[in-house]
Amino acid sequence: MLILQLAIIIVTAKIAGSLSVRLGQPAVLGQLLIGIVLGPSFLGLVNETETLAEFSQIGVILLMFIAGLETDLDEFKRTGKASAYVGLGGIVVPLLIGYLAGITLNLGTFESWFLGLLLSATSVSISVQALKEMNQLQTREGTTILGAAVIDDVVVIIALAFLMSFAGGDVSLTTVVLKKVLFFAGAILIGWKLVPWFLKKFSTLKDSETVISSALIICFVYAFLAEYTGVAAIIGAYIAGVAISVTNFKGEVFEKVETISYAIFVPVFFTSIGVTAQFAGIGENLGLITVLSLIAIMTKLVGASLGAKWAGFNWNSSLGIGAAMVSRGEVALILAALGLESDLLSQDMFAVIVVVILVSTIVTPPMMKWFFQSKSKA
């Protein structure tokens, strides 16, 4: 059954992506939408399974690994200040407005702060693909977005640890922070000293494609360690890509990993986001979903855009950066599941939030297209 589902996903994702491009939109938008059509809410040709979820996880990890390979490290260092402004601006505004929205909905104090944190999360995996299609990934704007995503992930997770410790959860704040410090310190040290040595040594083995195998080993180990320490796996994969980008193996790794990824794993990731959508009972909460979706989109757009403007970008670039930070994607889904497990989200609110996350993810590519096209014309 999995083999047939993969065949259906790949053929429909490629056709939907092509149609989306013909209509002037990023291909990723078509792949997200076709996932909804294929899923149980409509045709039911593809169902959410654990194996499909694992394929999807590999897809997003490889996507962010490729983004790391394409990162200009010197530009990344130059945009550090801008990334901090964008990341923090994109957290503060959704956090405060989300908290106020929770209070308005008669949620408790901790539940309201959790809603704010949930709306502060960002997943730029969708944005990365849109940036690639628009040839913006290696620009100052693209590098700023990637840096801001790293900052966003770390700050939101640490803030969540604070919240859960105050809410009575079994969370050691010191352990949470220490794990993240150790991960980033270790990731940088290993990337500087061990990664080039490992690539050089492993590539000499008398077997085929050892360079690509060694690169994927590094990618997956970084992703695992990131997830183990409470940082998103995609951040670990991105850092692994950056580490390899400064070696002589960058060109060969990029070419072959991109081929592997876009042939199967990345289309499965984009499509599976739509497949997981559940619309049962949506009519009963349509008003709430609409309001929260508008809050999710506008707060992240405004907060991140203001951060970019303060960092010196013009308004077109600032709005493009803000739009790229709107997608909540798989990061927010993970946080929502954690909230449900910790009783910070009710079952009904969880169902609403999942749809809101899907809406924020779907609107991101066309918004980016609009603002970055305006930037090009300016």
Side-chain angles (χ1 to χ4, degrees), residues 55-66:
F55 261 80
S56 175
Q57 174 79 340
I58 293 172
V60 67
I61 285 172
L62 291 177
L63 179 65
M64 293 304 294
F65 180 57
I66 292 169

Side-chain angles (χ1 to χ4, degrees), residues 106-120:
N106 295 318
L107 300 180
T109 301
F110 291 124
E111 289 80 2
S112 297
W113 281 119
F114 180 78
L115 179 60
L117 282 174
L118 193 57
L119 295 178
S120 302

Side-chain angles (χ1 to χ4, degrees), residues 39-79:
S41 298
F42 287 90
L43 297 180
L45 295 176
V46 177
N47 294 302
E48 186 181 4
T49 65
E50 186 175 342
T51 306
L52 191 62
E54 294 296 336
F55 261 80
S56 175
Q57 174 79 340
I58 293 172
V60 67
I61 285 172
L62 291 177
L63 179 65
M64 293 304 294
F65 180 57
I66 292 169
L69 288 170
E70 291 191 89
T71 297
D72 183 333
L73 197 55
D74 291 332
E75 184 65 33
F76 191 84
K77 293 174 183 175
R78 286 193 293 268
T79 58

Side-chain angles (χ1 to χ4, degrees), residues 202-203 205 207-215 252 256:
F202 202 86
S203 64
L205 295 179
D207 196 9
S208 60
E209 303 295 352
T210 52
V211 172
I212 309 307
S213 295
S214 59
E252 182 180 356
K256 293 186 177 179

Side-chain angles (χ1 to χ4, degrees), residues 149-212:
V150 175
I151 293 169
D152 185 290
D153 178 71
V154 173
V155 173
V156 168
I157 293 296
I158 291 175
L160 180 61
F162 269 101
L163 179 65
M164 294 185 70
S165 65
F166 289 134
D170 186 19
V171 177
S172 171
L173 190 59
T174 302
T175 302
V176 169
V177 175
L178 182 60
K179 277 185 175 182
K180 286 164 182 53
V181 171
L182 288 175
F183 168 73
F184 282 102
I188 293 170
L189 181 61
I190 291 171
W192 176 33
K193 292 292 187 180
L194 190 58
V195 166
W197 175 85
F198 179 75
L199 282 168
K200 186 176 180 180
K201 292 296 182 182
F202 202 86
S203 64
T204 60
L205 295 179
K206 302 301 181 182
D207 196 9
S208 60
E209 303 295 352
T210 52
V211 172
I212 309 307

